[in-house]
Amino acid sequence: MTIDTDKGREPEDERPSAAASTAPETLKAIPVRHFGRWVAAAVALAVLALLINAFAQGKLNWGAVPDYFFNADILKGVRNTITITILSMVLGVVLGIVLAVMRLSKNPVTSAVAWFYIWFFRGTPVYVQLLLWFNLGLVFEFINLGPIYKDYWSSFMTPFLAALLGLGLNEAAYMAEICRAGIQSVDEGQTEAAHALGMSHAKTLRRVVLPQAMRVIVPPTGNEFINMLKTTSLVIAVQYYDLLQSATNIGQTSGATVEMLILAAAWYLVLTSVLSVGQFYLERRFARGSLRQLPPTPWQKVKANLLSLSNRSAVGGGAA
Amino acid sequence: MTAMVKAEGVHKSYGPVQVLKGIDLEVAPREVFCLIGPSGSGKSTFLRCINHLEKINGGRLYVDGELVGYRQQGNKLYELKDREVAAQRRDIGMVFQRFNLFPHMTAVENVMEAPVQVKRETKSVARERALRLLDRVGLADKAGNYPSQLSGGQQQRVAIARALAMEPKLMLFDEPTSALDPELVGDVLDVMRSLAEEGMTMIVVTHEMGFAREVGDSLVFMDNGVVVEAGNPRDILTNPQHERTKSFLSKVL
């Protein structure tokens, strides 16, 4: 049987709207003049002009940058950089979630082990860790995993594996802290409500806690991804053939060292820019349900900024 | 007839602080049982013990004849496994003061979640029931809204529908209207009243004396971890026997 609960009124739906009254008269006032802004803009432009002038006078062969931009060796380096970035992040995220759950577990041993792991890998430079992995061959002659696998350490620990372990294991420590913060940010009432409905611990974590933790986890993970892309340039230490390595090689043989470094920088910028765009839309997606109105996309922001510029009352546009 | 809820000398303490100091009470099936008392009196804690969100430190607590959270063999008491505790909670619905809806799910998804995940119902069956329940609490048109797009009163009614979706034999209400704007309280109380009329067993921690008087079958006044006075709501509210009850009621009525 159904009972009609809103027989009288639905108060929250029928509040009188303020817009119903007539629109107020537009004020005509002379806006405040911001002379400081004009001065600051002039200084900034002057410095920029000086910089461009300096580089224009340097003996740079600018033509080399576009010439080599899609060079086969460079493209191979780019592919390798992308591969090692993605694989290291996957290793970091998976291991990071495991470490976060271990860290939050009631078992003091697993919690302490996770704590120790994070302490070690966050407390030492990633460059040192990369060199450590690569040079372990000096103390281990063989790797022997019983009947499964046995080989010389030097042929087992390839530059690729050293780079993957060095970057991925280091990343896991940071991801663990990010995931822990995310899981802890979810209100305890959520867990209680799920338990009261008869959901198990695992199901509560998977269906209720983690989806909400994602909103806290995703933004810093995007930053980590972008950082990781740049950190991969360190794998030159373990002789992995990445973007920087390929650019340096060409630079040394052709004599265009600086040009090739600029080319590498340009490629890194392209890749990080693509990732930033991806991160923006990912964050927008995970904000569903927690924000009444989603943040504007860049295009919407540009439109709003242009509009506010043309209105000349530019005080923080962007609120489209 | 077995009592729906039976408490025998229930104790609960957080470290050195004793919150419940021996609660004895019985709730019959189809009864609307109201718990009132000042904040810190232990009434919410007692309610949370009934579905084992809190572990009791002493005494015995039964729901429908079954020991809550433990299994007794001879003289020994064994803690139940998480899975067994979850199975016990399935039949007990709970409504929280702060709603605790899942914010990343729409209203109808909130209501469907437990039947699909816990009872392994198909989505279409669960959705059909969820829509029926939302209609019944007067929110048929809000099924696709996220909790942040609903008012407090609407959120609490979704929360009631979510608890009802598991077809519980007992409903626990933990100050369901305390976090609401005064003008939204009525809608939630109307839903609770209709539930009572259908014969649902309900334990309600509340400050709504009007609801306790009109709908309640029995009423307990708790203070400082003990039951001070119990009986018919109309008798207690109009003619309290204990000094403590009198002074409390004089402040809230």
Side-chain angles (χ1 to χ4, degrees):
Chain A
M1 116 185 189
T2 47
I3 275 89
D4 194 349
T5 51
D6 42 6
K7 35 190 149 350
R9 78 248 127 78
E10 190 78 82
E12 52 271 30
D13 285 341
E14 290 183 6
R15 288 197 185 110
S17 67
S21 56
T22 50
E25 208 180 320
T26 356
L27 272 179
K28 286 219 176 66
I30 295 158
V32 177
R33 302 294 178 198
H34 298 282
F35 295 111
R37 288 184 190 173
W38 287 100
V39 174
V43 170
L45 285 177
V47 171
L48 197 61
L50 284 173
L51 264 175
I52 291 172
N53 187 39
F55 271 89
Q57 297 196 342
K59 280 177 278 175
L60 273 172
N61 175 16
W62 285 104
V65 177
D67 283 353
Y68 280 94
F69 207 76
F70 296 108
N71 175 284
D73 286 342
I74 293 283
L75 286 184
K76 186 179 171 215
V78 169
R79 264 198 310 276
N80 280 348
T81 289
I82 293 173
T83 312
I84 198 74
T85 303
I86 291 175
L87 291 181
S88 305
M89 272 318 280
V90 168
L91 179 62
V93 168
V94 171
L95 194 56
I97 291 175
V98 172
L99 282 167
V101 172
M102 279 172 72
R103 188 90 176 74
L104 291 171
S105 93
K106 285 180 189 141
N107 184 335
V109 177
T110 54
S111 170
V113 167
W115 180 90
F116 181 83
Y117 181 100
I118 294 164
W119 173 76
F120 179 81
F121 281 93
R122 283 211 310 177
T124 51
V126 65
Y127 190 67
V128 175
Q129 288 169 30
L130 280 166
L131 288 175
L132 257 177
W133 284 111
F134 194 55
N135 290 312
L136 274 183
L138 299 177
V139 287
F140 297 115
E141 200 178 344
F142 295 102
I143 177 161
N144 189 350
L145 299 177
I148 312 164
Y149 185 83
K150 188 169 189 255
D151 203 349
Y152 285 105
W153 184 271
S154 52
S155 52
F156 161 72
M157 189 56 74
T158 57
F160 169 76
L161 193 62
L164 177 66
L165 287 178
L167 296 174
L169 296 188
N170 180 263
E171 186 57 34
Y174 288 91
M175 283 310 303
E177 289 296 271
I178 290 171
C179 294
R180 185 170 68 101
I183 291 173
Q184 282 180 330
S185 75
V186 178
D187 184 53
E188 216 183 331
Q190 294 290 311
T191 317
E192 280 180 0
H195 283 170
L197 286 166
M199 289 166 77
S200 66
H201 282 299
K203 213 151 243 173
T204 302
L205 189 70
R206 194 165 55 79
R207 296 286 307 174
V208 175
V209 177
L210 279 183
Q212 293 182 63
M214 287 310 275
R215 196 166 52 85
V216 177
I217 292 174
V218 164
T221 304
N223 289 336
E224 288 294 312
F225 212 108
I226 291 168
N227 267 332
M228 173 64 84
L229 187 90
K230 294 181 293 174
T231 311
T232 54
S233 62
L234 291 179
V235 297
I236 212 163
V238 297
Q239 290 162 23
Y240 183 66
Y241 193 85
D242 74 327
L243 167 59
L244 182 61
Q245 177 85 271
S246 64
T248 330
N249 283 355
I250 295 177
Q252 275 163 1
T253 50
S254 67
T257 314
V258 177
E259 287 84 348
M260 288 305 108
L261 288 177
I262 291 174
L263 181 147
W267 259 114
Y268 281 118
L269 271 176
V270 168
L271 295 177
T272 50
S273 303
V274 169
L275 287 181
S276 303
V277 172
Q279 183 185 4
F280 177 84
Y281 284 96
L282 208 61
E283 277 179 33
R284 226 171 108 88
R285 186 184 150 76
F286 279 106
R288 269 181 330 166
S290 58
L291 299 174
R292 274 165 209 243
Q293 205 175 3
L294 290 172
T297 61
W299 174 235
Q300 289 168 336
K301 257 193 220 166
V302 166
K303 263 203 316 202
N305 276 331
L306 284 177
L307 271 176
S308 71
L309 265 182
S310 67
N311 289 343
R312 292 198 59 189
S313 57
V315 195
Chain B
M1 191 159 67
T2 49
M4 183 56 86
V5 175
K6 188 173 176 194
E8 295 171 349
V10 168
H11 279 77
K12 169 74 194 174
S13 49
Y14 296 105
V17 188
Q18 277 218 323
V19 187
L20 300 177
K21 303 169 184 165
I23 304 287
D24 295 283
L25 52 80
E26 251 181 60
V27 180
R30 305 177 72 82
E31 191 175 21
V32 177
F33 192 97
C34 296
L35 277 169
I36 62 168
S39 58
S41 60
K43 52 197 192 315
S44 283
T45 305
F46 177 70
L47 198 72
R48 292 157 60 82
C49 287
I50 296 175
N51 65 355
H52 208 53
L53 283 180
E54 306 281 354
K55 280 184 189 172
I56 61 176
N57 304 119
R60 293 283 189 277
L61 190 55
Y62 302 89
V63 170
D64 210 8
E66 208 180 317
L67 204 54
V68 174
Y70 300 92
R71 175 164 42 87
Q72 188 154 15
Q73 271 173 3
N75 282 331
K76 280 191 185 150
L77 216 52
Y78 296 88
E79 262 185 42
L80 291 185
K81 290 180 191 148
D82 288 339
R83 192 166 37 83
E84 296 165 316
V85 173
Q88 281 188 336
R89 286 177 178 145
R90 253 175 243 183
D91 299 332
I92 307 172
M94 185 159 191
V95 175
F96 298 86
Q97 182 177 356
R98 282 169 52 240
F99 328 136
N100 295 347
L101 288 181
F102 305 135
H104 55 301
M105 301 178 193
T106 60
V108 68
E109 284 167 353
N110 263 280
V111 182
M112 288 164 62
E113 181 66 10
V116 171
Q117 294 297 325
V118 179
K119 282 190 176 168
R120 299 245 158 252
E121 264 178 24
T122 63
K123 283 203 174 164
S124 60
V125 172
R127 176 176 294 272
E128 203 178 305
R129 178 179 329 89
L131 291 173
R132 210 165 54 234
L133 284 168
L134 285 176
D135 182 45
R136 161 192 180 146
V137 298
L139 292 172
D141 53 332
K142 303 285 184 193
N145 288 40
Y146 285 98
S148 62
Q149 297 163 326
L150 300 174
S151 73
Q154 292 170 334
Q155 287 190 51
Q156 192 61 298
R157 284 184 279 156
V158 174
I160 293 173
R162 178 176 71 173
L164 290 177
M166 290 297 282
E167 294 171 329
K169 58 189 175 193
L170 168 68
M171 285 283 285
L172 310 175
F173 292 86
D174 188 4
E175 302 197 27
T177 57
S178 297
L180 298 179
D181 289 346
E183 64 170 342
L184 306 181
V185 167
D187 294 335
V188 173
L189 290 182
D190 284 345
V191 171
M192 290 168 62
R193 188 173 288 124
S194 81
L195 261 180
E197 281 163 9
E198 281 174 40
M200 174 65 78
T201 315
M202 295 160 64
I203 305 182
V204 186
V205 171
T206 188
H207 294 297
E208 294 290 332
M209 299 305 158
F211 177 83
R213 182 174 17 228
E214 288 163 36
V215 185
D217 297 311
S218 34
L219 181 133
V220 156
F221 173 70
M222 276 178 71
D223 187 30
N224 209 9
V226 293
V227 172
V228 176
E229 200 166 342
N232 183 298
R234 285 151 292 271
D235 296 344
I236 293 179
L237 291 174
T238 47
N239 187 19
Q241 299 300 310
H242 284 260
E243 278 309 312
R244 187 68 192 89
T245 320
K246 278 179 197 165
S247 79
F248 175 75
L249 289 176
S250 72
K251 281 173 201 149
V252 297
L253 282 181

